[in-house]
Amino acid sequence: MLDIKDLVVEHGNMRALFGMTLNVRQGERVALLGANGAGKSTTLGAIAGIYPPRSGSIRFKGTEIAGKPAAVNVVSGIAMVPEGRRLFTGMTVQENLELGAYAPSLRKGVQDRLEGIFDMFPILKEKRHQLSGELSGGQQQMVAIGRALMSKPDLLLLDEPFLGIAPVVVHLVMDALRKIAEGGVTVLLVEQNVHRAFEFAERGYVIEHGHVIMQGSAHDILDDPDFSAKFLGVDSEENQA
Ligand SMILES: Nc1ncnc2c1ncn2[C@@H]1O[C@H](COP(=O)(O)OP(=O)(O)OP(=O)(O)O)[C@@H](O)[C@H]1O
Ligand SMILES: [Mg+2]
């Protein structure tokens, strides 16, 4: 469904991705792991159409989309829940949700989708006329996820959706994401907490300095001693003993 090849992205004159290659199949749940500054958000941003790549290819459902603007990609079926949620805090919950379906071609069925989101997150129905800036972090994350779903995505890009939300809410959001994936939405998740990432994802890519340095199933990655040493702070020799 998503085929990224040799992707190079620069922020101004600073290169962030140095030839990224990764793919996600229809219906998969894939995690993108890596330390701060590795290029995780840049990768999602390039897919969504926020950062036009310098070179390389991004194919989505067989069509080249590298360099296409975000507004076009949303209509094609790519939705992103950005790092830090990026809600319009001075607008109500419902207004924020409706913004996810602002494109004319996405308007059909808006009411049904809104109801679906309220079923998934009942608290949002209760607070639908409240300003989203008045919500807790977890509730704001629900709005950000709901807003993405309003565009009826085939591919959902999630950038650290659990960051800064209370533990009880983490479970709620995790359950919702699983339901979304079971409903047929393909998901690419950025998550720094490896164990949490693999509570959700079946497969992952580890990136460092804008390259993929490791990929495989949850087991492959968690069992790799180099990975443990680097990302879990475990001494690899001790680990093998
Ligand atoms: N808008 C920007 N302008 C300039 N440089 C940027 C911009 N966004 C990211 N960078 C730089 O690009 C590199 C990759 O950043 P990116 O945000 O993709 O990393 P990340 O893996 O998402 O990190 P984090 O875990 O901190 O969110 C970093 O060196 C970062 O400083
Ligand atoms: Mg990031």
Side-chain angles (χ1 to χ4, degrees), residues 36-90:
N36 288 118
K40 305 180 298 295
S41 297
T42 301
T43 304
L44 293 195
I47 300 166
I50 293 163
Y51 304 128
R54 169 145 289 270
S55 61
S57 152
I58 306 173
R59 293 181 75 81
F60 175 63
K61 294 192 284 192
T63 303
E64 181 61 50
I65 60 158
K68 284 198 180 166
V72 169
N73 290 337
V74 167
V75 172
S76 318
I78 300 177
M80 177 153 82
V81 176
E83 202 170 8
R85 310 183 258 275
R86 306 276 176 97
L87 300 180
F88 292 92
T89 50

Side-chain angles (χ1 to χ4, degrees), residues 133-156:
E134 295 170 354
L135 270 54
S136 74
Q139 290 163 356
Q140 291 191 12
Q141 193 57 266
M142 295 173 199
V143 177
I145 293 168
R147 182 181 55 185
L149 293 178
M150 286 298 284
S151 67
K152 270 196 307 188
D154 299 312
L155 174 66
L156 182 60

Side-chain angles (χ1 to χ4, degrees), residues 4 19 42 60 74 96 153 176 196 202:
I4 300 181
T42 301
F60 175 63
V74 167
N96 270 280
R196 187 169 290 155
E202 56 212 334

Side-chain angles (χ1 to χ4, degrees), residues 162-173:
F162 305 109
L163 200 67
I165 68 178
V168 276
V169 187
V170 166
H171 287 112
L172 232 151
V173 170

Side-chain angles (χ1 to χ4, degrees), residues 23-210:
N23 51 71
V24 180
R25 287 184 291 271
Q26 167 97 42
E28 263 194 316
R29 289 169 296 181
V30 175
L32 213 51
L33 307 161
N36 288 118
K40 305 180 298 295
S41 297
T42 301
T43 304
L44 293 195
I47 300 166
I50 293 163
Y51 304 128
R54 169 145 289 270
S55 61
S57 152
I58 306 173
R59 293 181 75 81
F60 175 63
K61 294 192 284 192
T63 303
E64 181 61 50
I65 60 158
K68 284 198 180 166
V72 169
N73 290 337
V74 167
V75 172
S76 318
I78 300 177
M80 177 153 82
V81 176
E83 202 170 8
R85 310 183 258 275
R86 306 276 176 97
L87 300 180
F88 292 92
T89 50
M91 291 168 69
T92 67
V93 166
Q94 181 158 338
E95 285 165 345
N96 270 280
L97 291 172
E98 285 170 349
L99 275 178
Y102 74 94
S105 64
L106 299 173
R107 294 252 172 78
K108 205 167 155 243
V110 157
Q111 202 52 43
D112 286 348
R113 271 176 274 148
L114 201 56
E115 288 306 323
I117 288 155
F118 289 151
D119 286 344
M120 181 172 283
F121 300 121
I123 188 76
L124 298 189
K125 184 167 193 174
E126 236 171 79
K127 303 204 169 203
R128 65 189 183 281
H129 300 307
Q130 225 168 294
L131 296 182
S132 57
E134 295 170 354
L135 270 54
S136 74
Q139 290 163 356
Q140 291 191 12
Q141 193 57 266
M142 295 173 199
V143 177
I145 293 168
R147 182 181 55 185
L149 293 178
M150 286 298 284
S151 67
K152 270 196 307 188
D154 299 312
L155 174 66
L156 182 60
L157 308 171
L158 297 159
D159 199 345
E160 306 207 41
F162 305 109
L163 200 67
I165 68 178
V168 276
V169 187
V170 166
H171 287 112
L172 232 151
V173 170
M174 180 70 86
D175 285 347
L177 295 181
R178 287 197 181 118
K179 276 189 199 129
I180 292 164
E182 280 159 16
V185 178
T186 305
V187 183
L188 182 58
L189 164 78
V190 165
E191 174 58 55
Q192 288 208 42
N193 180 318
V194 179
H195 293 290
R196 187 169 290 155
F198 287 128
E199 270 180 52
F200 175 78
E202 56 212 334
R203 199 163 68 79
Y205 287 87
V206 183
I207 66 176
E208 193 174 76
H209 304 310

